[in-house]
Amino acid sequence: MNWKTTLVLVGLAGVGAVGYLLREDLPAPLRPDSTSIQSGSSSLRALADTLDEEKLTQIVIERRGSGEKLTLSKNDKGKWSMTGNWLVSDSALKKLLKTLTTLESRFAPTSISEKTNLSRFGLRDPEVVITVHAGDQKHRLAFGEGPPTYEGNDFYRPTYLRIDDQKEVLRLGAHLVASLNRSREAYMRQQLFPDQSKLDESTLERNDVIDG
């Protein structure tokens, strides 16, 4: 074996090692043994029909330490609004819906009991609790973060999910909690009127009179 072949093999081994460490951050189709919501655990299968963007009618978000409960509701026309009838930011809503409707795990569920210490999953006092409604279906999703997966790398912390009172915990990818743990302001559409391009003409005329 010459030195060129050796370098190629070493390079391939290095790429494989990096891919293994970062496998959870790869797009779903590229992850090895990826388990979709339809074919995963009993918990995720129970959610398959509820976590459908078209069927979702309400999302309630509770963030640990925030002291607030943010409610996003969809009306009969498919328009979403927040508590207080505030309009919802399209980009923030789109990201939230995508995250919730593409939940998946490539790990076998961890069985738990009343004696299980949920702190090791970050679920004794979850970072974020999201309750989803779809028609007469309702599910509580508790998200927490566990300890760092790799020694010396505090940044990489897996996300854990418990659905309702299921006797299992699911391990998801890293950084998921951060994408869900967003403030009320992050979901508010930054505009004064529902549609500034369609202000009532009479309102504009009254303003002209006042200005005159």
Side-chain angles (χ1 to χ4, degrees), residues 10 24-25 28 30 39 44 52-53 60 68 73 78 86 114 116 124 138-139 148-149 155 169 182 185 196 203 205:
V10 170
E24 291 179 356
D25 296 322
L30 300 181
S39 60
L44 287 180
D52 182 296
E53 186 172 335
V60 181
E68 67 176 6
S73 302
W86 284 91
E114 294 180 356
T116 301
R124 182 180 179 85
K138 174 184 175 182
H139 292 287
T149 303
F155 180 71
V169 170
R182 308 184 69 188
E185 288 71 22
Q196 291 178 324
T203 302
E205 291 174 356

Side-chain angles (χ1 to χ4, degrees), residues 21-92:
L21 292 175
L22 299 179
R23 62 193 181 281
E24 291 179 356
D25 296 322
L26 292 172
L30 300 181
R31 297 177 196 157
D33 302 322
S34 179
T35 303
S36 69
I37 194 171
Q38 287 79 12
S39 60
S41 72
S42 59
S43 296
L44 287 180
R45 285 198 300 272
L47 279 180
D49 193 49
T50 304
L51 289 181
D52 182 296
E53 186 172 335
E54 296 299 321
K55 296 179 180 179
L56 283 172
T57 55
Q58 189 178 80
I59 303 171
V60 181
I61 305 172
E62 299 175 75
R63 302 164 56 232
R64 188 178 70 189
S66 69
E68 67 176 6
K69 181 183 292 187
L70 173 62
T71 301
L72 307 176
S73 302
K74 184 171 67 174
N75 63 21
D76 295 338
K77 297 181 179 179
K79 298 294 183 181
W80 288 87
S81 63
M82 292 171 47
T83 306
N85 206 33
W86 284 91
L87 296 178
V88 182
S89 164
D90 290 336
S91 59

